Amino acid sequence: MAYTETTTTGYGTRVGNSFKAIGSGFLLFVLGTALLWWNEGRAVKTEKMLDEAGSKYVEMENPGKKDASLEGELICGTAMATTEDSLTDADFGIGAKAIALRRSVEYYQWVEHAQTKKEDKLGGKEVTTTTYTYSKQWVSSPIQSSQFHDPAYQNKNTVLTTVEDAEQYAENVSFGAYKLNESLIHSISSREGMDLAIAENLLAQFDKTTQAAYERFYGVQKSIQQPVQQSQPAPQPAIPDSVRALLSDSALAVLDSLQAVNDSIVKSMANAENKKDLQYIHQAGNVLYFGRVPGAPEVGDVRVTFEKVVPAKVTVMAVVDGDTFKPFKAKNGKRFQTLVMGQKSGDEIIEAEKEANNMILWFLRILGVLMVIGGLKGIFGFIETILKVVPFIAGIFGWGVGLVCTVLGIVWSLIVIAIAWLFYRPLLGISLLVLACFLIWVFAFKGKDKLKELAAKGKAKNAEPLPATE
């Protein structure tokens, strides 16, 4: 059920707040302008660095053998990223030989949602109506329900346990005859679920502490009847050829379909060999669940997912530094190294990096323009607020102020970008400026001459005598 709060802000308070907003609006305008300027320089420098890297890299034909001639060279090579390091999650007593171990935690909680509606009243007052609704969701961290606005939902959240997200990486990851540096290791994304082998006594301890936490919040509950563990179905033998010869095609199709279903069930059961169920702890696959019934979560339930990064084929683009790699440093000081999954050519990597650079350029451009427009609206918003004594007039005037701020914001942003181009790309910027001046001259002067010519033709045509009529 929704919960509603209504607040009223007086005219004097609103005007005072609007004048206070001038400072924050000016700050937002300055930050947006700075972002636009910096973004153009960042994009140009990155593009030049990528062009330089694209012209200098060499293919590493055989990463499995060290090549002294490649020392200090920017290379592009493909090999398996492997490790012999064993990583351990000490909190749960599990480990694996892997490039990385990750655990992520989710909590089942009540979540507050707010929807606000504002209405201007005659005389300048503003009535704000906020409607709060609540739903249960899986979230990444516990939510303090004591801060909820609806008293009926306050202190409704709890957690059966608290577990921190964690990740750890192997220190020694091989790339053929070379070793990957820390940054490249962190770029490997070949994740897969980690089979859990948590000790029985540790699971029993988790179950006991989780039960105590559950009963503190919910009270003593009846024991849950655990499902009877069934033995895995044995794989059915294939249909003998002698029998298949006696069956019709349609019958064979049905039997083959049933055989496929049976094989799928057997396979899924085999994959669930590590499934364990206690009263408040449930382990299946790569998930450890704290709660009574995983299929029907209650507030406070917690699930922990374990993943590992396994060896995989990767492509590295970096500078050879002894038996490892370091970033490429371009003439303009920008640094570059990358690791991508699978086999890629150097040209493909450079092209993908350029596309990413262009996407970032446009995203930050749009963000900068919106910041400039928002800043201008913050600076001039007090004018609309002063007129709020008559909401209808304020609405019309506010629309006009918003339109003017939007146009001015776009124009100012384009000017900043244009000047930045002149600074960071002088040749291109000057060329565009010359072209713009030429077009202005064409339209301003040649267009004027053309208009005079058309006007003269029009006068001449009007001056011609009308044909005589009989």
Side-chain angles (χ1 to χ4, degrees):
M1 186 175 179
Y3 178 79
T4 301
E5 283 186 348
T6 302
T7 58
T8 302
T9 305
Y11 176 71
T13 302
R14 297 183 70 187
V15 172
N17 292 337
S18 68
F19 279 106
K20 293 178 182 178
I22 294 176
S24 58
F26 181 76
L27 179 60
L28 187 62
F29 176 82
V30 172
L31 291 176
T33 301
L35 175 62
L36 289 171
W37 179 274
W38 171 84
N39 181 45
E40 296 302 318
R42 179 208 59 80
V44 171
K45 291 179 180 179
T46 301
E47 184 178 350
K48 288 182 177 179
M49 177 270 292
L50 292 173
D51 287 337
E52 185 178 341
S55 64
K56 286 188 174 181
Y57 82 89
V58 295
E59 295 287 349
M60 178 181 275
E61 300 292 343
N62 184 15
K65 183 179 180 181
K66 291 183 182 178
D67 187 347
S69 66
L70 295 177
E71 180 67 24
E73 295 286 347
L74 174 63
I75 60 90
C76 178
T78 302
M80 287 291 295
T82 60
T83 185
E84 294 298 322
D85 290 2
S86 293
L87 304 177
T88 302
D89 188 323
D91 293 336
F92 293 89
I94 57 176
K97 185 184 291 185
I99 295 172
L101 291 186
R102 292 191 177 103
R103 74 170 183 235
S104 55
V105 188
E106 295 173 286
Y107 302 86
Y108 199 65
Q109 301 279 272
W110 281 107
V111 179
E112 182 178 71
H113 310 277
Q115 185 175 9
T116 301
K117 180 182 178 181
K118 295 184 178 182
E119 185 179 2
D120 293 324
K121 296 295 185 179
L122 193 64
K125 292 183 179 180
E126 180 184 62
V127 177
T128 302
T129 303
T130 305
T131 302
Y132 298 96
T133 56
Y134 300 84
S135 64
K136 299 175 184 178
Q137 298 178 16
W138 286 104
V139 294
S140 59
S141 59
I143 295 176
Q144 297 296 326
S145 57
S146 60
Q147 305 299 318
F148 286 171
H149 290 78
D150 188 347
Y153 286 90
Q154 290 177 359
N155 301 313
K156 285 288 189 179
N157 277 341
T158 187
V159 292
L160 300 183
T161 188
T162 302
V163 182
E164 297 293 334
D165 289 342
E167 61 181 9
Q168 54 181 305
Y169 292 86
E171 293 183 0
N172 303 295
V173 178
S174 299
F175 179 80
Y178 298 85
K179 294 181 179 179
L180 298 178
N181 61 37
E182 183 179 359
S183 177
L184 295 175
I185 292 173
H186 287 202
S187 299
I188 303 173
S189 59
S190 50
R191 299 185 188 183
E192 65 177 37
M194 181 179 176
D195 288 335
L196 306 184
I198 302 176
E200 297 285 350
N201 60 339
L202 187 58
L203 288 176
Q205 181 181 339
F206 287 155
D207 189 68
K208 184 177 180 180
T209 56
T210 304
Q211 179 179 4
Y214 186 94
E215 291 180 351
R216 279 197 302 270
F217 188 77
Y218 286 104
V220 179
Q221 302 290 319
K222 294 182 179 180
S223 298
I224 301 173
Q225 183 68 35
Q226 296 295 328
V228 178
Q229 297 292 330
Q230 298 180 352
S231 59
Q232 296 182 14
Q236 298 298 318
I239 302 171
D241 292 339
S242 58
V243 176
R244 297 179 67 91
L246 299 176
L247 299 176
S248 64
D249 292 342
S250 58
L252 283 173
V254 172
L255 288 175
D256 288 340
S257 177
L258 292 174
Q259 181 71 39
V261 171
N262 179 76
D263 292 344
S264 176
I265 294 174
V266 172
K267 184 177 180 181
S268 63
M269 292 296 292
N271 291 337
E273 287 181 353
N274 68 333
K275 181 175 181 179
K276 297 178 182 177
D277 281 308
L278 282 72
Q279 188 171 357
Y280 289 87
I281 294 294
H282 311 274
Q283 172 189 310
N286 66 324
V287 177
L288 185 64
Y289 193 95
F290 295 77
R292 281 160 56 91
V293 184
E298 298 176 90
V299 171
D301 287 7
V302 180
R303 62 186 182 192
V304 187
T305 303
F306 297 85
E307 293 179 314
K308 60 182 177 180
V309 176
V310 299
K313 180 181 287 188
V314 299
T315 300
V316 169
M317 200 168 191
V319 173
V320 177
D321 183 25
D323 65 345
T324 185
F325 302 96
K326 65 180 182 180
F328 167 75
K329 185 176 181 180
K331 293 178 181 178
N332 61 10
K334 294 282 288 185
R335 296 177 181 271
F336 170 70
Q337 67 173 354
T338 188
L339 179 148
V340 297
M341 304 304 297
Q343 184 170 0
K344 300 288 183 182
S345 68
D347 290 346
E348 288 176 325
I349 292 176
I350 294 297
E351 184 62 29
E353 291 290 334
K354 286 185 176 181
E355 290 179 359
N357 181 48
N358 194 50
M359 289 180 62
I360 295 172
L361 170 66
W362 279 102
F363 172 78
L364 293 180
R365 275 177 177 171
I366 295 172
L367 177 61
V369 172
L370 293 177
M371 290 174 66
V372 168
I373 294 173
L376 289 173
K377 289 183 177 180
I379 293 172
F380 296 103
F382 73 93
I383 301 175
E384 178 186 0
T385 305
I386 291 174
L387 298 174
K388 288 292 186 179
V389 287
V390 183
F392 176 73
I393 296 177
I396 296 175
F397 196 84
W399 181 87
V401 170
L403 179 62
V404 171
C405 289
T406 300
V407 172
L408 289 178
I410 293 174
V411 171
W412 174 259
S413 300
L414 292 176
I415 291 173
V416 172
I417 293 173
I419 297 175
W421 273 45
L422 288 174
F423 184 81
Y424 291 110
R425 311 184 192 191
L427 293 178
L428 182 58
I430 293 173
S431 299
L432 291 175
L433 185 61
V434 170
L435 177 60
C437 292
F438 174 75
L439 292 175
I440 292 173
W441 177 77
V442 169
F443 285 106
F445 296 97
K446 292 296 183 180
K448 186 185 296 184
D449 294 340
K450 186 67 175 177
L451 288 174
K452 289 181 179 179
E453 181 181 346
L454 291 175
K457 288 182 178 180
K459 289 181 180 180
K461 186 174 181 181
N462 293 332
E464 290 181 358
L466 295 175
T469 56
E470 295 183 1

